[in-house]
């Protein structure tokens, strides 16, 4: 059920055999490499995977082989032009150093070695990482509110006393909006431009002005006090309303006054609104 | 979860858990719809389980009631006084669904119920709209001329007052809402009335004290 | 409401109704504060009522539980499958990166970002910290007095609430270092390059010569 096992199956699908075979001959189908890499949280995770999965044998950590494999993976990634995180390259350098130490004849006086043995350091880091990796799995397995546990709620039918009405903060409101937009993936949509809310507010005001079947001329709706920007906002609001089929914009002949009214049941004749509609939907 | 037909006391417990976890009353049909077809209890079985549940609540603080929109577990009226004491200091909060609905009406007005449901991906309960209308934060601003003539909702002056907003324009813009850093900055500014006064643009001295006012727009 | 000292079963019902009506878990102190001074039960009485309530819920779909910020009534885990059918939205699944970060903050608090990155071996993305802070599972508990004054993170009561925990002590213990002996043995081996047959890097079929591979698992 762990992610690594998911990857096993993901890659097995590509190649038709289980993934744990793959590191042995180091062949990863190119189209699976990306899936493979995404499964790892970083170089420690990848290394741990190679150690744990390769031979199923912890006693025999073949540092040389692992190093080779790791470095070949890195090579493969670069060949595939994956953007390599610096951490992977750093790890490769560390492994290369360990490897070179193993291959070189041991210095006669080992005690004078400066700094920590990189092998011991690597093992320590792997151990630490693995502890917290499994701790995170334990954490994820705890019963969680909203997943395994639900808060039991009940209220009285009515509360007699005058209880203060809930007042959410603006912050809560905006975060709720953010969440719903993220969930609906609307932020990615083309319509997310800098949409002036004043237009939306103005749309509501125009609808109110036209309530009860009142007709208005374009000019009636513009408030000179609002200045040029106000006129633009008003005009945009009218276009939006027409586009959304909420009002009808009519002009009987060129240069005649433009009349606006709420859309009613009857069919519109020569409605500018329809033209706009088709223009937008096209 | 056991897919075989379960005994009635297990059904009773399932129903109890559903009613306590649900914010809204549940109809018999809704409850039955949660079962796989081949493991679905009969209506009679469910009714029996509901009755058994009601009886088992004798002497407890909760009771099972059938209301207009289904079955509901509610606390008994004699404890309402205690609960109002609790809420006095800390009023209950509106549900996530209500906040999201209000936020959508605010940012996307005029908007129809169907559009709200479309964006949220779930049905909108009548009670949420009712609360928002009663609270006078939301009103019907028009109707869309499509079959059914759905009402279009917008926010009110009272909404602006209660959320301490001068106008809708002073809300964070969509790009600001998307970008967390920008949102944090925008909210910061909204909460700081000193920054507000700089917007009127009358006095340069004021703006000088709000050095990052421009960077927010 | 009866202002005299009430018997314990009545106290139990009051507590039950309060817990059901409250948005948040309630502490013993908070419950006691709702009583007029001359009718306030003792702490011991309240504890007894809570215990009686817990016992009375045996065999029901709900249970009484003490979590980080107090007592609450919650549905038993075995009914989660039914309840989640009520909602179309699935609970969020968190990435391994986020959970590993949370685990580090949880077990190693107070911990700085650099320390988290050090153990995980990768940079910590800003969005993970933001999610944890927004979720209110994590907060800045202080700053380390070194150049740059890095923030130190710790977990919140809400984290305990959401993970059904009473306190940090009730967390599963941090897993021990695995295969300590095995790793030591492997290190031992590494001291002697000759023992590593893989030096040439060409040796296939090497694995077959390791007969005890299975016995180790």
């Amino acid at each position: 059920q762990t992610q690594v096992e998911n990857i096993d199956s993901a890659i097995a699908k590509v190649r038709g055999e289980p993934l744990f075979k793959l590191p042995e001959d180091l062949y990863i189908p190119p189209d699976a490499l990306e899936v493979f890499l995404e499964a790892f949280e970083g170089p420690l995770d990848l290394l741990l995977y190679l150690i744990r999965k390769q031979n199923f044998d912890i006693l025999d950590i073949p540092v040389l082989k692992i190093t080779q494999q790791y470095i070949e993976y890195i090579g493969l990634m670069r060949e595939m032009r994956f953007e390599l995180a610096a951490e992977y390259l750093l790890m490769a350098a560390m492994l290369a150093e360990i490897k070179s130490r193993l291959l070189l004849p041991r210095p006669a006086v080992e005690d004078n070695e400066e700094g920590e043995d990189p092998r011991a350091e690597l093992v320590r880091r792997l151990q630490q990482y693995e502890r917290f990796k499994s701790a995170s799995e334990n954490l994820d397995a705890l019963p969680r509110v909203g997943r395994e546990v639900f808060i039991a709620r009940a209220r009285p039918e009515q509360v007699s006393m005058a209880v203060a009405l809930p007042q959410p903060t603006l912050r809560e409101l905006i975060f709720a909006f953010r969440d719903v937009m993220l969930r609906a993936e609307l932020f990615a949509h083309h319509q997310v431009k800098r949409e002036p809310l004043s237009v939306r507010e103005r749309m509501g005001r125009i609808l109110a002005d036209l309530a009860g079947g009142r007709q208005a001329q374009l000019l009636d709706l513009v408030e000179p006090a609002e200045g040029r920007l106000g006129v633009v906002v008003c005009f945009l609001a009218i276009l939006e309303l027409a586009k959304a089929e909420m009002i009808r914009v009519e002009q009987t002949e060129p240069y005649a006054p433009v009349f606006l009214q709420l859309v009613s049941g009857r069919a519109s004749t020569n409605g500018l609104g329809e033209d706009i509609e088709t223009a937008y939907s096209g | 979860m056991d897919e075989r037909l379960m005994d009635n006391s297990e059904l009773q417990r399932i129903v109890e858990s559903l009613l306590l976890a649900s914010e809204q009353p549940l109809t018999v049909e809704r409850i039955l719809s949660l079962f796989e077809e081949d493991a679905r209890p009969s209506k009679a079985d469910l009714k029996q389980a509901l009755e058994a549940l009601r009886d088992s609540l004798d002497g407890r603080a909760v009771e099972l009631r059938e209301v207009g929109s289904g079955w509901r577990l509610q606390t008994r009226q004699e404890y309402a006084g205690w609960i109002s004491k609790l809420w006095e200091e800390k009023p209950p909060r509106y549900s996530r669904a209500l906040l999201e609905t209000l936020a959508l009406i605010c940012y996307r007005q005029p908007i129809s119920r169907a559009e709200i449901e479309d964006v949220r991906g779930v049905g909108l309960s009548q009670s949420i709209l009712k609360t928002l209308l009663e609270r006078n934060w939301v009103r019907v601003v028009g109707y869309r001329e499509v079959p059914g003539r759905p009402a279009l909702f917008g926010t009110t002056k009272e909404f602006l007052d209660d959320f301490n907003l001068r106008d809708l324009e002073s809300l964070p813009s969509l790009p600001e809402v998307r970008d967390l850093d920008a949102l944090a900055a925008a909210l910061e500014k909204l909460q700081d009335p000193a920054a507000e006064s700089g917007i009127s643009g009358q006095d340069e001295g004021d703006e000088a004290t709000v050095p990052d006012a421009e960077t927010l727009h």
Side-chain angles (χ1 to χ4, degrees), chain A, chain B:
Chain A
Q1 226 176 345
T2 66
Q3 283 197 21
V4 169
E5 277 161 21
N6 291 340
I7 295 317
D8 285 356
S9 55
I11 289 173
K13 258 179 220 158
V14 179
R15 190 123 192 269
E17 61 179 287
L19 174 71
F20 55 78
K21 296 265 189 214
L22 293 180
E24 284 180 23
D25 56 9
L26 248 189
Y27 175 73
I28 293 183
D31 42 352
L33 184 60
E34 194 162 6
V35 187
F36 185 81
L37 269 186
E38 273 170 7
F40 294 101
E41 288 300 328
L44 285 174
D45 201 20
L46 174 57
L47 209 52
L48 202 58
Y49 174 81
L50 291 176
I51 291 167
R52 289 281 175 212
K53 285 275 173 167
Q54 187 196 19
N55 293 323
F56 302 100
D57 179 6
I58 192 67
L59 248 183
D60 196 28
I61 297 180
V63 164
L64 288 184
K65 275 191 88 171
I66 294 282
T67 302
Q68 271 168 353
Q69 290 198 349
Y70 183 90
I71 289 173
E72 281 183 57
Y73 271 118
I74 302 284
L76 211 55
M77 294 177 204
R78 293 174 71 170
E79 239 168 75
M80 302 283 300
R81 294 181 198 283
F82 279 123
E83 247 184 67
L84 265 191
E87 297 104 352
Y88 279 94
L89 294 173
L90 194 68
M91 179 62 76
M94 190 177 180
L95 288 169
E97 195 203 341
I98 296 174
K99 189 178 165 188
S100 65
R101 283 201 191 201
L102 284 177
L103 290 173
L104 290 171
R106 260 197 284 174
V109 200
E110 222 171 291
D111 313 52
N112 292 349
E113 241 179 314
E114 277 174 42
E116 202 182 349
D117 179 355
R119 281 167 301 181
E121 161 73 4
L122 178 61
V123 168
R124 188 193 62 79
R125 290 190 65 189
L126 281 169
Q127 287 175 320
Q128 280 305 312
Y129 176 67
E130 188 167 42
R131 286 181 88 187
F132 286 100
K133 189 181 159 178
S134 41
S136 77
E137 284 156 13
N138 294 343
L139 210 54
D140 196 29
L142 287 176
R144 200 179 306 158
V145 169
R147 205 181 60 180
E148 284 89 11
V149 159
F150 297 85
I151 309 302
R153 294 253 180 83
R155 294 183 169 190
E157 193 163 4
Q158 45 180 277
V159 175
S160 44
M161 290 173 52
V163 164
L165 288 169
Q167 176 61 53
T169 64
L170 188 60
R171 197 186 160 78
E172 284 174 280
L173 183 72
I174 288 166
F175 272 100
F177 178 63
R178 185 182 144 81
D179 287 351
V180 76
M181 295 291 278
L182 286 175
R183 220 169 52 226
E185 286 166 1
L186 283 176
F187 277 130
H189 211 254
H190 65 276
Q191 59 190 316
V192 177
K193 295 180 296 266
R194 191 178 166 121
E195 184 182 45
L197 272 168
S198 51
V199 173
R200 299 216 152 254
E201 187 174 38
R202 193 54 183 269
M203 287 163 73
R205 265 166 59 198
I206 293 171
L207 285 176
D209 286 344
L210 299 176
R214 272 196 301 274
Q215 242 193 7
Q217 276 196 46
L218 186 56
L219 283 178
D220 298 339
L221 297 172
V222 177
E223 283 169 38
E226 289 178 338
R228 198 183 295 171
L229 188 64
V231 176
V232 173
V233 165
C234 179
F235 194 66
L236 285 174
I238 289 168
L239 287 178
E240 282 291 327
L241 286 167
K243 172 187 155 196
E245 293 179 275
M246 294 184 227
I247 61 167
R248 186 165 40 243
V249 182
E250 278 180 342
Q251 191 180 32
T252 46
E253 58 189 68
Y255 306 112
V258 175
F259 282 99
L260 301 115
Q261 65 179 92
L262 293 185
V263 178
S264 63
R266 67 188 169 85
S268 67
T269 50
N270 191 21
L272 183 53
E274 284 175 355
D275 296 342
I276 292 172
E277 176 66 28
T278 34
Y280 268 90
S281 59
Chain B
M1 215 177 317
D2 195 351
E3 290 301 328
R4 287 165 304 128
L5 287 174
M6 65 268 311
D7 65 53
N8 228 321
S9 73
E10 179 64 2
L11 180 56
Q12 181 189 323
R13 279 188 293 270
I14 292 171
V15 170
E16 185 182 15
S17 71
L18 289 170
L19 291 174
L20 284 172
S22 161
E23 305 245 344
Q24 266 117 34
L26 296 175
T27 61
V28 164
E29 290 69 29
R30 179 92 176 91
I31 296 171
L32 289 176
S33 76
L34 302 174
F35 290 81
E36 302 296 325
E37 216 167 315
D38 57 345
R40 188 171 296 154
S42 70
K43 222 170 188 168
D45 281 344
L46 181 54
K47 286 252 163 101
Q48 210 183 327
L50 282 163
E51 267 164 42
L53 176 60
R54 181 175 54 206
D55 295 347
S56 77
L57 293 169
D58 249 11
R60 300 203 74 94
V62 273
E63 59 183 346
L64 181 68
R65 288 286 287 274
E66 190 176 8
V67 293
S69 43
W71 292 86
R72 173 169 77 190
L73 280 168
Q74 59 186 40
T75 54
R76 290 182 200 276
Q77 201 53 44
E78 60 243 64
Y79 301 105
W82 292 100
I83 291 166
S84 63
K85 276 192 180 190
L86 181 75
W87 287 354
E88 232 173 90
E89 296 160 51
K90 230 182 184 172
R93 287 163 47 182
Y94 283 135
S95 67
R96 192 81 202 159
L98 183 139
L99 276 181
E100 288 182 5
T101 303
L102 179 60
L104 281 173
I105 293 175
C106 169
Y107 272 91
R108 295 243 149 156
Q109 55 189 296
I111 186 171
S112 71
R113 181 181 178 146
E115 286 163 333
I116 296 169
E117 291 178 333
D118 192 46
V119 175
R120 292 195 58 240
V122 283
L124 178 56
S125 85
Q126 192 59 40
S127 69
I128 285 179
L129 272 180
K130 197 173 146 227
T131 304
L132 289 174
L133 289 163
E134 272 174 13
R135 194 75 203 259
N136 209 14
W137 281 344
V138 154
R139 67 196 172 91
V140 173
V141 293
Y143 295 88
R144 176 157 293 148
E145 202 47 45
V146 292
R149 298 191 79 236
L152 295 165
F153 300 97
T155 52
T156 61
K157 179 91 179 46
E158 203 157 331
F159 164 79
L160 293 175
D161 291 346
D162 285 354
F163 282 85
N164 216 8
L165 289 166
R166 203 178 44 176
D167 47 35
L168 283 178
E169 197 63 0
S170 41
L171 278 169
S173 67
L174 283 187
E176 278 172 337
V177 173
R178 179 169 44 180
D179 182 276
L180 267 178
D181 284 326
L183 180 55
L187 285 171
E188 195 82 5
K189 193 185 118 223
L190 268 174
Q191 273 150 17
D192 179 9
E196 281 291 293
S197 67
I199 289 173
S200 64
Q202 297 306 316
D203 34 3
E204 286 93 354
D206 227 14
E207 269 164 354
T209 64
V210 192
D212 50 351
E214 281 83 10
T215 66
L216 296 168
H217 283 277

